[in-house]
Amino acid sequence: MPVQKNKTLGEFIIENQSEFQYSSGELSRLINSIRLAAKVVNHEVNKAGLVDIIGQAGEVNVQGEDQQKLDVFANETFIKTLTNREIVCGIASEEEEDFITIQGRNGQNENKYVVLIDPLDGSSNIDVNVSVGTIFSIYRRVTPAGTPVSLEDFLQAGNRQVAAGYIIYGTSTMIVYSTGHGVNGFTLNPALGTYYLSHPNLCFPEKGQIYSVNEGNYVHFPQGIKDYIKYCQKEEEDRPYTSRYIGSLVSDVHRNMIKGGIYIYPNTARDPRGKLRLLYECNPMAFLIEQAGGKASDGYRRILDIEPTELHQRTPFIGGSASMVEKAESFMGLYPESTP
Ligand code: AHG
Ligand code: MN
Ligand code: MN
């Protein structure tokens, strides 16, 4: 299909609304709200070097990590936009210990969807002008509409996601999302404030030559990951692979989706469950990776099949070009699980 270069995200959403099984326009409005909030966050991220917004906010989030001011700003922007428009019935965020119930103005909220969000991903990159992102995941609630949301609405396996996406605030700003019918990328024209379809039907190359992992943690990695890294570095046929690691899941996966590659954040002796969060980092990224023809695993099982038990649950994560992930899994499979 030829790329219609001037198609906007707004037009694309309207044209594709019928793709949704239960379409009532609600999901389209939700993606529209995310698009709007992303523009506001983009504006703020872009002036990070100009105004007094960089640096620590002086607070520690539920993970015990320092919150950056832009983490707080992005969190508030997404929550406010989604709350004010009464577009969802609940929100869970990396920056909030508990999920948020949205009551609705007259006390009755009939919306069907919940959103889980990492408002600013890779936030340690802000002070140094390197790409950051936002990750979102959307589910239909499982409890009856019109009642307050409960934890079970958020603790759903990733294979039940209705839509997921990310925004990358990079050399240009893009929204990349999927409603389960492939992955499409839209680039923001900052002069007009409009996103245009720039990357229709994004697909992982079957095989790539990039491996992305924080090798500073190498000595703490499980033996299967150590062996796989050595395999990547070996001189043979199409190897050695090259190493690229930004330290922002969104940016690392985005690059690998276009160029072909694998992203790995394993469990370590220090973090036996890994670092990345299942519900608002790994599940949405795994959904996009699979929709783009790649694979995502914790080394032993498909990420999307993990039944979550906690809102801020962590998991080891291996995602990218299908054959590369399969290779990494084959190394992991030689050792019993959870042997750091
Ligand atoms: P966040 O900024 O939302 O806390 O996420 C950071 C995550 C992820 O984006 C990134 O890939 C990873 O942490 C980097 O971790 P290391 O610095 O340990 O490599
Ligand atoms: Mn993150
Ligand atoms: Mn974050």
Side-chain angles (χ1 to χ4, degrees), residues 16-27:
N16 291 278
Q17 193 166 306
S18 59
E19 274 180 358
F20 314 136
Q21 205 183 337
Y22 315 97
S23 179
S24 60
E26 204 177 314
L27 186 58

Side-chain angles (χ1 to χ4, degrees), residues 6-308:
N6 58 355
K7 186 174 289 182
T8 68
L9 174 54
E11 289 166 346
F12 183 89
I13 290 172
I14 292 165
E15 273 175 32
N16 291 278
Q17 193 166 306
S18 59
E19 274 180 358
F20 314 136
Q21 205 183 337
Y22 315 97
S23 179
S24 60
E26 204 177 314
L27 186 58
S28 298
R29 286 200 299 280
L30 172 47
I31 291 169
N32 249 321
S33 296
I34 291 172
R35 161 180 82 155
L36 177 68
K39 257 189 245 181
V40 178
V41 172
N42 175 63
H43 185 67
E44 222 50 36
V45 167
N46 277 188
K47 26 178 228 194
L50 295 172
V51 291
D52 180 30
I53 199 157
I54 53 172
Q56 313 274 306
E59 307 245 336
V60 169
N61 72 6
V62 286
Q63 264 58 240
E65 297 153 348
D66 290 328
Q67 274 185 318
Q68 303 283 324
K69 278 184 186 170
L70 272 171
D71 280 325
V72 178
F73 180 84
N75 187 44
E76 284 173 359
T77 304
F78 279 101
I79 289 174
K80 263 191 227 148
T81 309
L82 296 170
T83 307
N84 291 346
R85 300 173 140 220
E86 291 187 24
I87 216 111
V88 289
C89 50
I91 305 171
S93 162
E94 180 191 6
E95 305 299 336
E96 306 283 335
E97 185 155 12
D98 294 319
F99 61 84
I100 296 166
T101 305
I102 299 168
Q103 294 286 6
R105 245 156 274 180
N106 56 9
Q108 190 82 347
N109 185 338
E110 294 292 336
N111 290 314
K112 297 189 283 285
Y113 296 106
V114 294
V115 173
L116 297 97
I117 191 157
D118 177 355
L120 208 68
D121 174 66
S123 50
S124 67
N125 284 322
I126 289 164
D127 289 355
V128 290
N129 207 350
V130 173
S131 300
V132 291
T134 295
I135 310 173
F136 61 91
S137 168
I138 301 171
Y139 292 85
R140 279 174 74 84
R141 64 182 301 175
V142 291
T143 53
T147 62
V149 280
S150 76
L151 188 57
E152 62 184 303
D153 293 315
F154 298 92
L155 297 187
Q156 300 190 53
N159 55 33
R160 303 185 63 166
Q161 283 171 106
V162 194
Y166 59 78
I167 296 116
I168 178 165
Y169 312 98
T171 44
S172 55
T173 295
M174 284 185 72
I175 289 190
V176 175
Y177 80 99
S178 174
T179 54
H181 300 270
V183 181
N184 291 286
F186 302 82
T187 302
L188 178 67
N189 178 338
L192 303 178
T194 306
Y195 296 93
Y196 289 92
L197 177 60
S198 53
H199 295 67
N201 196 22
L202 273 163
C203 288
F204 263 94
E206 226 286 303
K207 206 171 174 330
Q209 300 220 297
I210 296 173
Y211 73 100
S212 310
V213 62
N214 186 343
E215 276 185 85
N217 297 328
Y218 183 87
V219 295
H220 304 289
F221 286 165
Q223 193 56 44
I225 295 296
K226 286 182 177 168
D227 294 351
Y228 178 69
I229 291 173
K230 288 295 156 218
Y231 166 87
C232 293
Q233 295 170 343
K234 205 166 174 191
E235 253 182 87
E236 225 166 61
E237 291 173 38
D238 58 341
R239 285 172 282 141
Y241 297 153
T242 193
S243 164
R244 291 284 183 276
Y245 189 75
I246 296 169
S248 149
L249 174 67
V250 167
S251 317
D252 280 305
V253 170
H254 181 74
R255 180 204 50 242
N256 291 357
M257 197 184 287
I258 291 169
K259 296 199 165 179
I262 184 169
Y263 175 94
I264 305 174
Y265 208 110
N267 55 315
T268 62
R270 283 179 305 198
D271 295 313
R273 300 187 67 185
K275 176 186 181 188
L276 299 179
R277 279 54 62 113
L278 175 63
L279 291 177
Y280 40 79
E281 291 185 314
C282 300
N283 271 342
M285 295 313 278
F287 183 81
L288 291 161
I289 288 170
E290 287 198 5
Q291 284 294 319
K295 286 191 94 173
S297 156
D298 70 354
Y300 295 91
R301 60 187 69 74
R302 185 181 177 222
I303 289 288
L304 295 182
D305 289 339
I306 298 173
E307 290 294 337

